[in-house]
Amino acid sequence: MHDSQGLEPLVRGIPPIRSRRGPRRRRPGKLHADKGYDYDHLRCWLRKRGIRHRIARKGIESSQRLGRHRWVIERTVSWLAGCRRLHRRYERKAEHFLAFAGIAATLICCRRLTKGSDHH
C-alpha cells in the first residue's frame, strides 16, 4: 500500500488525547508530511476535519524544510526496523504484528530511558 493510502486510516485511528484544559482532543491540530502525501484529496480531507497541514509539493518545494519533524519519524522507524520480527512481517495476523510492534516500542523506550540515566 502506498503511504498516501494509509493517511486517512492512520488519522482516524488516533485515540482521544487528554488535555489540561477542555475536552479531549480527537484529532491532531497540524500534520507534517513529505511529497508522498501531495494529493489534493488528502489536503481537502484534512481541511474538512479541521487539521492544518504542511505537505511538501512535488516539483516545487524541498522536503528539507520538514527536516526537524521528519527526522523524529525516520529515526523511530529505523529503530523499529532493527527488530527482526518487524523488519520483515512474519506475522499473518495484524493483532500479532501490532503486539510485537508494541513490545519493540517498549524495549526501545526502556533502552533510551536507561541510557539517559547513565549520564546522571
Side-chain angles (χ1 to χ4, degrees):
M1 174 188 293
H2 189 272
D3 288 350
S4 65
Q5 294 174 316
L7 181 70
E8 290 179 27
L10 176 71
V11 171
R12 276 194 208 102
I14 296 172
I17 300 166
R18 193 172 296 201
S19 62
R20 291 180 204 183
R21 298 184 313 253
R24 290 178 177 213
R25 293 183 54 127
R26 299 211 169 267
R27 64 182 63 92
K30 190 171 186 181
L31 179 128
H32 292 263
D34 64 15
K35 296 174 187 185
Y37 300 89
D38 181 21
Y39 294 97
D40 288 337
H41 73 277
L42 291 177
R43 292 173 193 277
C44 182
W45 187 83
L46 291 165
R47 257 192 310 275
K48 284 180 184 174
R49 279 148 190 80
I51 301 170
R52 291 179 298 141
H53 54 76
R54 176 72 186 94
I55 301 173
R57 296 187 183 271
K58 293 177 192 162
I60 299 172
E61 296 176 277
S62 165
S63 293
Q64 294 292 331
R65 292 185 63 199
L66 297 170
R68 70 189 170 113
H69 300 286
R70 189 175 178 186
W71 165 244
V72 175
I73 303 302
E74 298 293 337
R75 177 191 63 196
T76 305
V77 169
S78 174
W79 287 341
L80 288 171
C83 301
R84 251 184 338 136
R85 284 200 89 100
L86 298 177
H87 186 64
R88 294 183 72 198
R89 189 167 170 199
Y90 291 110
E91 306 305 319
R92 289 190 179 151
K93 291 188 174 187
E95 299 86 20
H96 293 180
F97 180 76
L98 290 172
F100 280 113
I103 292 168
T106 303
L107 290 171
I108 289 166
C109 289
C110 184
R111 281 188 213 125
R112 298 287 298 166
L113 288 171
T114 56
K115 190 181 199 180
S117 64
D118 289 346
H119 298 296
H120 297 297

